[in-house]
Structures are given as structure tokens and as C-alpha cells.
Amino acid sequence: MQRTSLTKAITLAGAATGLLLIGTQAQAQAQETFEWKMATAWPKNFPGVGQGPERLAELVDKMSDGRLTLEVFGAGQLVPGFEVFDAVAEGTAEMGHSASYYWKGKAPAAQFFAAVPFGMNAQEMNAWLHYGGGMELWNELYEPFGVDVMAAGASGVQMGGWYNEEITSVDDLDGLKMRMPGLGGEVMNRMGVAIVNMPGGEIFTSLQSGAIDATEWIGPYNDLAFGLYQAADYYYYPGWHEPTVMFEAIVNDEAMASLPDDLQAILRTAIRDVNQDVLDEYTARNNDALETLVNEHDVELRRLPDDVLAEAQRISDDVVAELAESSEMAGKIYDSYSAFQEKVEDYHAISEQAYYDARNPQGDTASAE
Ligand code: CA
């Protein structure tokens, strides 16, 4: 009896010591804190896309009980917006929030993960990225730079752009000077438009002074905030060139590896949350902003003419195919992207699209009336 009790007591004491050790280790880990810098490609607190990083920082702080904090820097505060990727690759910032087509100079194939003219919309992109192999390819593309990437928000279908005169056919585009970045800009260029590149901050002044005749920016929510209605009368839809822009959260590989597993999981979960949240904010705010533009600022809302859309689609196929041929990796991404788009388009023809048609057979838009 005595021996058994003694053995039990020793065993219990041993277990208690073990628990104490585990407890101490957990406590030590819990006390280790990480203070990261997050460089972004947007003005600080910019509506929509600029709110994403702010919410991410709040979420991570709460979920980790302050063990991981992210200090958000607007474009130009830590590094210029177009240098976010380098800053993360070099470790100047542990992470960044941006859009992959800004890095086409480093990796042209990065454009597939931001916006493809006549490509997939936000819902379809998210499906491809998270359940169709897209994220694996995106990470494979960034791996040589020591950068880990996750999708971190989407704009939804953008607007076709602001024009200072009415566009009734492809001929009206000839000779216009327009700001439109990325693959869409290349398509417009082949339709006779002189494409002018400039940072977001210069768009309004350039349009107002007549240095450019037209511009695209994002959608009603951001375009209203930028005051673009004061510089051009005609607002065209749809944004064929950007059926969404996917935004990205990029993390320095070594910084990510330095985090304990639970903080990595918290960071990834919070980014996934923000990925949806940014899209939700755009979906909610674009409607009201469009009403304000049309009803309070007398903006002329117009659909792009059929011949412009048809010609843009024909040329887009060429431009995207040329990108696919630019490297082995670009070809691999294109194959995956286009195969997924073909399948999801088939299904969406009898689901989303058939439903939109059934819900609104005339294609009425209250704002346009
Ligand atoms: Ca845009």
C-alpha cells in the first residue's frame, strides 16, 4: 500500500514538474513579441484597398493578444508604392500590401494574379487561387525572391473609365491620350490610344489640364473620392480590362519562418479574412457612390459600345497569349488560369449569369435612367 502510494506520489510529482516545464515554455513563447512593418502601395487610409491593411493590423493584434503587431505605412512613408516588393524581399519591411501587376518588370507573369482583360472576376479568381492551384503557382513565382504571398482583397469588376467626350465607336478612340495600366493599357494602345503611365496622385490634374483625355482608376467608391467627375463628364462601364484586381499580402520568407506556428496561423487566417472583407466593402460602397456621381454630380453614365468591347476582347486574346509565351513559368500559369476560366465560365453561364438574366431580363440600371 505504502509503496504504491509513494510511487503514485512520485509519478504525480513528475507529471506536475513536466506540466510546469511545458507551462513555462508556453509562457516564454507567449511572451515573445514581434513588431513588424507593413509597407503598402496605397495612400494611408485610402478607401477600400487602403482599409484592408489597417483592418489586418487590428485583427492580428487582437487575435495574437499583441504578440504580433503590424505597423502600416502608406505609399511613400517607408518606401515608394512601386518599391514595396523590393522592401519585403530585402527585409526592410517584413510584409507588404500591393497588387502583383506592379511587379511585371521583375516577373511579367505576375500580371495573371492581378487582372487579366476579359479574365476571371473576383469570385472566380478566389476559386482558382484557393481551390484550383493558383496560390501554389503564385508562391512558386515569388519563391526565388524569398517572398511568400497570399490573396488579400479584391476590387470586383472595375469601371471602364472617364472620358472627356462621348465614345460611340472604336474610331472615337483613335488618337486619345489615356491612363490605363497593365495588359488593358496594351490592348487600348493597339486600338489607337496613346497610353500614358502615371501614379494615382497625378491622374486628376492630368485629366483636368487636358494632358490626358481619358483615364481609368478603380470604381465609383474610389473615383468619387478622387473627384474625377470634376475633370470628365462621361463615365463608362464595364471594366473589361480589370474584371477584378486581386490585391496581395506579401511576407518576407525569413520573417514568416521566425514566427511560431500559432502566429503564422493567426496571420494567414487574418489575411484570408481581409481578402473577403475588402471585396465586401467595395460591393457595399460602389452602389451608393455611383448614385451620388449620377444624381448629385450629373455624371453621364454610358456602356462602352459593342464594337469597342468586341475589338478589345479580340486584341486581349492576343496580348494575353503573348504574355503566356514570354516564359515557361508564364505558360504554366496561363495554362492553369485559362483551363480554370473555361470550366468556371461554363458553370457560371448556367448559374450566376443565368440568374442575373432571370432577375433582370431587360438589363435595367436605375442609375442610368
Ligand atoms: Ca483600375
Side-chain angles (χ1 to χ4, degrees):
M1 280 290 280
Q2 254 185 353
R3 184 180 290 174
T4 312
S5 297
L6 188 64
T7 311
K8 264 189 191 164
I10 289 168
T11 309
L12 282 172
T17 310
L19 282 175
L20 195 69
L21 279 174
I22 291 166
T24 311
Q25 278 165 357
Q27 213 169 20
Q29 194 180 56
Q31 280 162 355
E32 194 177 354
T33 59
F34 298 83
E35 291 171 8
W36 281 14
K37 294 185 179 74
M38 174 162 46
T40 75
W42 332 111
K44 181 84 175 158
N45 283 316
F46 194 60
V49 61
Q51 293 300 312
E54 303 290 342
R55 283 200 209 102
L56 179 62
E58 278 171 36
L59 262 181
V60 167
D61 187 17
K62 274 187 201 151
M63 290 166 79
S64 71
D65 197 21
R67 289 163 56 213
L68 174 59
T69 57
L70 311 173
E71 188 181 355
V72 183
F73 293 88
Q77 290 184 325
L78 184 66
V79 293
F82 288 161
E83 290 173 24
V84 169
F85 191 90
D86 283 341
V88 172
E90 289 157 9
T92 310
E94 284 83 359
M95 70 177 293
H97 191 264
S98 45
S100 62
Y101 57 11
Y102 294 149
W103 325 128
K104 66 176 182 181
K106 297 176 195 306
Q111 295 175 96
F112 282 112
F113 300 104
V116 174
F118 295 96
M120 290 190 275
N121 66 18
Q123 186 182 351
E124 296 163 346
M125 275 297 283
N126 272 310
W128 174 58
L129 290 171
H130 300 110
Y131 288 92
M135 273 322 314
E136 287 80 0
L137 289 168
W138 200 352
N139 272 294
E140 188 181 332
L141 185 69
Y142 283 5
E143 203 267 328
F145 302 97
V147 171
D148 188 284
V149 62
M150 285 186 69
S155 67
V157 178
Q158 299 204 357
M159 287 293 286
W162 296 85
Y163 289 77
N164 62 13
E165 55 191 68
E166 195 162 9
I167 302 299
T168 57
S169 74
V170 173
D171 295 341
D172 290 343
L173 295 174
D174 196 42
L176 287 186
K177 288 190 293 269
M178 181 173 196
R179 181 263 179 198
M180 181 184 281
L183 297 167
E186 177 56 28
V187 173
M188 286 297 259
N189 186 249
R190 295 185 194 187
M191 290 169 78
V193 176
I195 292 298
V196 184
N197 286 315
M198 65 185 68
E202 291 173 24
I203 295 176
F204 178 81
T205 318
S206 302
L207 190 59
Q208 201 171 40
S209 71
I212 54 174
D213 307 301
T215 186
E216 74 82 57
W217 178 224
I218 299 178
Y221 184 36
N222 288 118
D223 294 5
L224 173 66
F226 248 31
L228 294 175
Y229 58 89
Q230 296 171 55
D233 291 335
Y234 295 94
Y235 197 21
Y236 277 92
Y237 66 92
W240 56 270
H241 63 297
E242 289 172 334
T244 189
V245 165
M246 287 303 299
F247 305 115
E248 62 180 11
I250 48 178
V251 182
N252 178 283
D253 272 351
E254 285 172 24
M256 185 64 111
S258 75
L259 294 179
D261 288 350
D262 66 329
L263 288 186
Q264 286 191 30
I266 284 170
L267 181 60
R268 291 183 187 280
T269 304
I271 292 171
R272 192 78 158 93
D273 181 280
V274 164
N275 183 47
Q276 182 64 44
D277 197 66
V278 171
L279 178 63
D280 295 346
E281 184 183 357
Y282 276 112
T283 306
R285 305 279 186 245
N286 275 330
N287 314 314
D288 292 340
L290 183 63
E291 272 183 23
T292 303
L293 286 168
V294 171
N295 298 331
E296 290 177 28
H297 299 300
D298 298 322
V299 165
E300 301 286 342
L301 184 66
R302 296 279 191 282
R303 183 177 181 274
L304 282 165
D306 287 338
D307 73 324
V308 169
L309 290 172
E311 185 69 351
Q313 185 160 23
R314 189 185 66 77
I315 298 172
S316 292
D317 289 347
D318 293 343
V319 168
V320 175
E322 285 167 28
L323 174 61
E325 283 159 17
S326 67
S327 72
E328 197 181 324
M329 188 62 193
K332 197 161 112 175
I333 296 167
Y334 170 79
D335 288 347
S336 172
Y337 184 103
S338 52
F340 195 91
Q341 181 174 343
E342 205 172 307
K343 279 195 293 185
V344 82
E345 257 191 52
D346 280 352
Y347 181 64
H348 276 175
I350 62 157
S351 56
E352 309 292 324
Q353 192 176 324
Y355 172 68
Y356 286 153
D357 292 346
R359 185 171 64 180
N360 183 7
Q362 310 302 326
D364 293 337
T365 54
S367 307
E369 282 158 8

